[in-house]
Amino acid sequence: MEIDSDGKVNAQGNEVTKIMIDGKEFFGGDPSIVLKNLSADAIANVEIIDKKSDESELTGVADGNKEVVINFTLKESRKNNGFGKVSAGGGLDNRYFGNLNYNKFSSKTQFSVIGKINNINITGSNIQDFLKNADGVDGDGDDEEEEQNSAQKTKSLSGYLNTGVAGVNVGHEFKEKKSLNGDYFYNYSKNDGSSVSKRITFSNANNFDYVAENEYVNTKNDHNLNLDYKNKSNPNNSLIIKGQLMSDAINSYSNRMGRYFKDEELSTKNDNLSTVDRDRKRANLGINFYQKLRKKGRSLATGLKTNFNRSTMKNDQNTLIKEDKYSKRICERAEYHP
């Protein structure tokens, strides 16, 4: 088994799509949430499962659809008893952190609560998404460096980072193979900083000094709600209902102020103020019913799947270029409503 730098888990060369606890989903089966919030000393066994599709499990006929799933079996001493951990700390310059984790599992019900908050640059569970979408996280750089960074999927992290994570997972098995599972996860990230850089350009005629002052603030609020109902209590049919609601908002502010000096006299001013606001909402609902027919290998499958997507983006840019007594102001504004 391997875990890469992005937190993806691979088992025997295949990506693990879900991690379950005692055969039940834990926060939608998200591997990163499970690995970061479940204590290792609570686990008795680790199973790697080639899980068949729901239809294949009902009919017994392989359809070629499967996923690699890891199942953690808890120690008997941890079942029917609550367990978790709490830690907190504070320091100089108003720095702090706090972690909360509580779990209670029984044969029928599972309940988990997690919470994290800090301003000491410890990343939350979804920081990779934040880095991929936010502008200005990498601080200052010249045009060539910015072009290289824009071509990369993930930018480097600098400045101060504040993160907050909260989540709750509830699952209940009404009877064997009939269960309802739901979870809610919230992730907050704020990255802000400022930088000053100086550069000297040498030429045959004159030397130019360049001073840049940059400041940026990027925030993200992410909500994720999952519902999963399964009824496989009847050996001849099964009903599966899955729903998901996701909402994320990204707000970016960047102010870049550049000054060119020739013979210690101000030659050119280049100021750029940029704000980006993006809001995205997604929802999906899937209902699937499988009926096993009398003849072996035959089944009836019917289902409904619907998706909802809404995305809005607002981009404001204000650029002021001043050379000697000549100045030019450029204002750009863009709104995107798909």
Side-chain angles (χ1 to χ4, degrees), residues 3-248:
I3 302 178
D4 64 17
S5 58
D6 293 331
K8 292 182 179 179
V9 183
N10 291 279
Q12 300 174 352
N14 297 307
E15 182 179 349
V16 175
T17 56
K18 287 184 179 181
I19 295 182
M20 299 187 295
I21 309 297
D22 285 338
K24 302 179 180 67
E25 289 192 3
F26 181 82
F27 282 99
D30 189 333
S32 63
I33 298 179
V34 177
L35 294 176
K36 290 183 178 181
N37 295 283
L38 190 67
S39 300
D41 59 1
I43 300 171
N45 297 301
V46 179
E47 298 175 285
I48 300 176
I49 305 170
D50 288 329
K51 186 179 181 304
K52 299 178 182 179
S53 66
D54 295 316
E55 185 174 2
S56 180
E57 289 179 350
L58 177 68
T59 62
V61 178
D63 56 7
N65 297 320
K66 67 176 184 178
E67 57 183 349
V68 179
V69 174
I70 290 179
N71 181 49
F72 289 151
T73 303
L74 296 178
K75 295 178 180 178
E76 290 297 329
S77 60
R78 295 301 183 98
K79 296 180 181 180
N80 300 316
N81 294 312
F83 65 93
K85 58 185 177 181
V86 177
S87 60
L92 302 176
D93 201 21
N94 295 320
R95 299 295 154 195
Y96 59 85
F97 81 91
N99 295 319
L100 167 67
N101 185 312
Y102 177 77
N103 305 274
K104 187 171 184 179
F105 299 97
S106 68
S107 59
K108 295 293 183 181
T109 305
Q110 59 180 162
F111 175 76
S112 299
V113 175
I114 60 174
K116 298 181 180 181
I117 187 171
N118 76 84
N119 64 353
I120 54 176
N121 287 30
I122 298 179
T123 60
S125 298
N126 295 334
I127 191 65
Q128 293 298 329
D129 294 334
F130 174 73
L131 291 173
K132 290 176 184 177
N133 292 291
D135 292 325
V137 222
D138 52 342
D140 180 39
D142 55 27
D143 295 337
E144 183 178 351
E145 292 175 342
E146 290 172 6
E147 291 177 359
Q148 293 176 353
N149 285 332
S150 63
Q152 298 175 353
K153 291 184 179 180
T154 304
K155 298 182 178 181
S156 59
L157 181 66
S158 61
Y160 291 108
L161 177 67
N162 296 261
T163 61
V165 172
V168 58
N169 182 90
V170 180
H172 182 70
E173 188 176 28
F174 302 98
K175 61 180 181 179
E176 187 177 1
K177 296 186 177 182
K178 182 180 179 181
S179 62
L180 175 64
N181 189 284
D183 64 80
Y184 169 75
F185 192 78
Y186 170 72
N187 188 286
Y188 167 79
S189 300
K190 179 183 178 182
N191 179 226
D192 64 281
S194 61
S195 63
V196 177
S197 63
K198 297 182 180 181
R199 186 175 62 204
I200 301 177
T201 303
F202 299 95
S203 64
N204 294 330
N206 301 99
N207 297 335
F208 291 90
D209 294 323
Y210 174 72
V211 179
E213 297 182 13
N214 300 320
E215 57 184 23
Y216 57 90
V217 180
N218 300 292
T219 60
K220 180 179 180 181
N221 289 275
D222 191 0
H223 303 266
N224 195 324
L225 176 66
N226 295 286
L227 292 174
D228 186 5
Y229 173 78
K230 295 180 180 179
N231 187 353
K232 300 180 181 180
S233 57
N234 190 319
N236 295 317
N237 58 59
S238 64
L239 174 65
I240 300 174
I241 302 175
K242 291 188 177 183
Q244 186 177 42
L245 177 63
M246 294 170 286
S247 173
D248 61 81

Side-chain angles (χ1 to χ4, degrees), residues 199-328:
R199 186 175 62 204
I200 301 177
T201 303
F202 299 95
S203 64
N204 294 330
N206 301 99
N207 297 335
F208 291 90
D209 294 323
Y210 174 72
V211 179
E213 297 182 13
N214 300 320
E215 57 184 23
Y216 57 90
V217 180
N218 300 292
T219 60
K220 180 179 180 181
N221 289 275
D222 191 0
H223 303 266
N224 195 324
L225 176 66
N226 295 286
L227 292 174
D228 186 5
Y229 173 78
K230 295 180 180 179
N231 187 353
K232 300 180 181 180
S233 57
N234 190 319
N236 295 317
N237 58 59
S238 64
L239 174 65
I240 300 174
I241 302 175
K242 291 188 177 183
Q244 186 177 42
L245 177 63
M246 294 170 286
S247 173
D248 61 81
I250 294 178
N251 307 103
S252 300
Y253 164 86
S254 175
N255 188 13
R256 299 177 179 269
M257 297 168 286
R259 302 290 183 267
Y260 286 93
F261 295 89
K262 180 179 178 182
D263 297 328
E264 298 184 353
E265 292 186 3
L266 182 62
S267 174
T268 304
K269 295 173 61 178
N270 189 334
D271 297 341
N272 183 277
L273 179 64
S274 174
T275 59
V276 178
D277 298 318
R278 195 195 74 183
D279 184 76
R280 183 173 57 180
K281 292 179 172 60
R282 293 166 290 168
N284 60 74
L285 175 66
I287 303 175
N288 293 284
F289 178 78
Y290 303 99
Q291 176 67 48
K292 188 176 181 180
L293 302 180
R294 290 185 177 183
K295 190 171 182 179
K296 185 178 180 180
R298 291 190 176 183
S299 63
L300 173 67
T302 181
L304 169 68
K305 187 174 183 179
T306 180
N307 294 279
F308 167 81
N309 291 276
R310 183 178 183 271
S311 179
T312 61
M313 178 180 290
K314 179 181 177 183
N315 188 347
D316 288 328
Q317 291 192 7
N318 192 320
T319 303
L320 173 64
I321 302 174
K322 184 176 182 181
E323 300 178 1
D324 296 330
K325 296 182 179 180
Y326 171 77
S327 65
K328 176 173 63 175

